[in-house]
Amino acid sequence: MDDATAAPVSAPDRDGEDDTRLIRRAVVLVVLFFLVDAALRTGYFYFGARAGGGEPPPLDPLLSEVTGSIATLVVFFLVVVPVTRRFPLAPGVWQRHLPAQVAGFVVFTVVKTLLMWAQRAALWPLVGLGSRYDYGAWGYRFTMEAANDVFGYALLVAGVQLFHDWRTRRDRQVREARLESRLHQARLDALQGQLQPHFLFNTLNTISSVMYADPEHADRLMARLSDLLRSSLAAPGRPEISVEEELDLVGRYVDLMKARFGDRLTVEVALDPAARGAAIPVFLLQPLVENAIQHGVAARSGPGRVDVEIGAEGPSLIVRVRDDGPGPPPPTAASANGVGLRATRERLALLHGSEATFSLEPRPGGGAVAEVRLPLRPATEAVPRG
C-alpha cells in the first residue's frame, strides 16, 4: 500500500488563506462604510441646523454620529453576523428562523442604544458639551431607537446574507473547477496505471499462455482488456457516480487480475442494498483494490484474498478494502506522502471537506484494511459537472 496514515481529509491550506483574506477585506469595507456614513450624516444634521438658523457646536453632531456608527458596528459583528449565519432568512426556512431574527433585532437595538449612551456619557464632559449627557426618558428612547433601527437591521441582515450566499456560490464554483480538473487527472492516472509496462506485460503474458490451449478464453481476455482501457476514458463525466457504476468499473479490472493470478486470487464484494445507489467518487475503488492485490497477493507465493465491503452506517457511506497480505508499510515520510492516497485525500477534501476520512491500518490477524468514510447521499444528489 502507498500510505499507512489515518486522518480526516482537510481542504488545501491555500483555500483557508484565501477565505481569511476575503473576510478581512469585507471587515475593512464594513468599517469604512460606517465611518463614511458617520461623516455624511454629521454634515447632514449640521448643515440642516444651520439652514434653519441654528448654530450647533460642530462636535455635537460629529460625536453623536460617530458614537452611533461605532455602536452599530460593534453590535453588527456581535449580533447581526452570527444570528444571520445561524438563522438565515432563506427560502424554505425563513418562517422557522423569523422568531430568532426578531429576538436578534431586540438585542441589537437595546445593546446599540446602551452603547451609544455609554460613549456619549463618557465623551460629553471631556469635550465641554455639558457636565453630563442626558438621554431623556429611557422608555421613549428605546422605543425611538427601535423604530429607527427596523429598516437598518433588515438591510444589515440582507447584506450579511447576500455576502454569505456570494461566498457559497464562489466556493462552489472554485470547488467544481478543481473537481473537474481532478476528474480528468483521475481518468489519466487510471489509464496510465493500466498502460504501465509491467501491467500490460503481465496481462498479455496471461493471454499468451492460454492462446493456443484455449483460444476462446484468450479472446475473452483480450476483450476484457479492451473494455478496461476503454472504460477508463469513457467513464461518466462527473466527479461522483453511483456505487453500482463504480463496482462495474472496478469489476473489469478484477476480471483481468483473476485471469492473471488464477486460483491464487479471491475477490469478494459485499454490498449493502442501502448503499447501492449512493454517491461515490469515480475511480475511488480501483486504486484501493489494485494496491490490495499488488501488496497483498502479488507479494506472496500462496493464495490471497481481497474483500470489498460497501455499506451504510448512519449518515455515512463506508468503503472498506481488506487483504490478507503482509500488511501496510510503516508510516515513514515516504509512505505518508504516497501519490495514490494523497490524490484520493485531495479529491475527498474537495468533495466533502472534513466530513470525509481515509485510513489505512494493519488488519487484525495479518494484512491491511483501507477505509473511506463519506456522507451518505443518493447519486442523484452528487456534485454535478462544473
Side-chain angles (χ1 to χ4, degrees):
M1 305 283 179
D2 56 9
D3 199 340
T5 61
V9 180
S10 58
D13 291 340
R14 185 178 61 185
D15 288 349
E17 294 173 358
D18 291 343
D19 204 46
T20 299
R21 284 196 294 267
L22 176 64
I23 293 175
R24 286 176 179 171
R25 291 173 183 172
V27 170
V28 170
L29 288 176
V30 170
V31 172
L32 288 176
F33 170 83
F34 278 104
L35 291 178
V36 171
D37 179 67
L40 294 176
R41 288 172 64 88
T42 297
Y44 174 83
F45 286 110
Y46 176 77
F47 291 110
R50 293 297 301 269
E55 293 187 4
L59 281 178
D60 193 318
L62 176 63
L63 290 181
S64 294
E65 297 309 318
V66 169
T67 55
S69 290
I70 292 175
T72 305
L73 187 63
V74 171
V75 185
F76 170 78
F77 287 114
L78 293 181
V79 178
V80 179
V81 173
V83 169
T84 303
R85 294 190 63 180
R86 177 65 180 84
F87 302 101
L89 298 179
V93 298
W94 70 268
Q95 296 96 330
R96 289 186 285 113
H97 292 174
L98 187 58
Q101 285 288 358
V102 172
F105 167 75
V106 173
V107 174
F108 171 87
T109 189
V110 169
V111 175
K112 175 191 164 199
T113 302
L114 292 174
L115 284 176
M116 288 192 298
W117 169 81
Q119 293 177 89
R120 294 168 187 175
L123 291 175
W124 250 242
L126 293 179
V127 297
L129 291 177
S131 59
R132 59 186 295 272
Y133 180 77
D134 184 12
Y135 224 170
W138 280 98
Y140 291 115
R141 178 61 62 176
F142 282 123
T143 304
M144 181 194 78
E145 293 294 342
N148 185 57
D149 288 337
V150 170
F151 286 108
Y153 182 86
L155 290 174
L156 293 176
V157 168
V160 172
Q161 193 158 320
L162 286 173
F163 177 74
H164 177 69
D165 292 344
W166 175 80
R167 277 182 62 200
T168 301
R169 288 193 299 271
R170 169 185 172 272
D171 292 345
R172 184 186 301 116
Q173 291 170 353
V174 171
R175 185 170 64 252
E176 289 174 356
R178 290 180 178 173
L179 284 171
E180 183 72 10
S181 175
R182 287 290 178 186
L183 175 60
H184 291 313
Q185 188 62 47
R187 288 175 176 171
L188 293 175
D189 288 346
L191 181 60
Q192 178 180 346
Q194 294 151 10
L195 290 176
Q196 287 176 348
H198 75 272
F199 174 85
L200 280 180
F201 174 80
N202 291 332
T203 304
L204 293 175
N205 186 54
T206 299
I207 296 173
S208 175
S209 66
V210 299
M211 182 175 296
Y212 297 104
D214 192 348
E216 291 184 2
H217 183 46
D219 185 64
R220 287 195 298 270
L221 290 179
M222 287 293 295
R224 288 175 182 172
L225 176 60
S226 176
D227 288 344
L228 177 61
L229 299 179
R230 188 182 302 111
S231 67
S232 297
L233 292 177
R238 57 187 187 276
E240 291 182 307
I241 58 178
S242 71
V243 168
E244 281 189 305
E245 291 176 293
E246 179 69 6
L247 285 174
D248 181 65
L249 290 174
V250 79
R252 302 173 190 272
Y253 172 77
V254 170
D255 284 344
L256 276 172
M257 292 299 98
K258 285 183 177 180
R260 171 187 169 188
F261 290 102
D263 294 337
R264 289 180 54 204
L265 173 63
T266 299
V267 178
E268 294 290 341
V269 177
L271 174 60
D272 182 351
R276 188 179 301 275
I280 189 172
V282 65
F283 296 128
L284 176 72
L285 273 177
Q286 181 171 322
L288 300 182
V289 173
E290 184 176 356
N291 281 343
I293 293 175
Q294 179 181 352
H295 297 281
V297 179
R300 58 195 295 182
S301 57
R305 180 185 178 94
V306 175
D307 290 292
V308 179
E309 177 186 345
I310 305 177
E313 294 183 9
S316 300
L317 176 70
I318 311 299
V319 178
R320 296 188 182 96
V321 177
R322 300 184 178 91
D323 66 71
D324 56 358
T332 61
S335 67
N337 292 284
V339 174
L341 191 51
R342 185 170 64 249
T344 300
R345 273 208 182 109
E346 291 176 359
R347 292 177 63 214
L348 288 171
L350 291 172
L351 280 166
H352 302 293
S354 60
E355 292 184 288
T357 60
F358 189 2
S359 64
L360 178 62
E361 299 177 348
R363 180 183 181 185
V369 54
E371 179 181 282
V372 176
R373 287 178 176 263
L374 57 155
L376 177 65
R377 63 184 181 187
T380 54
E381 298 178 8
V383 176
R385 186 170 184 171

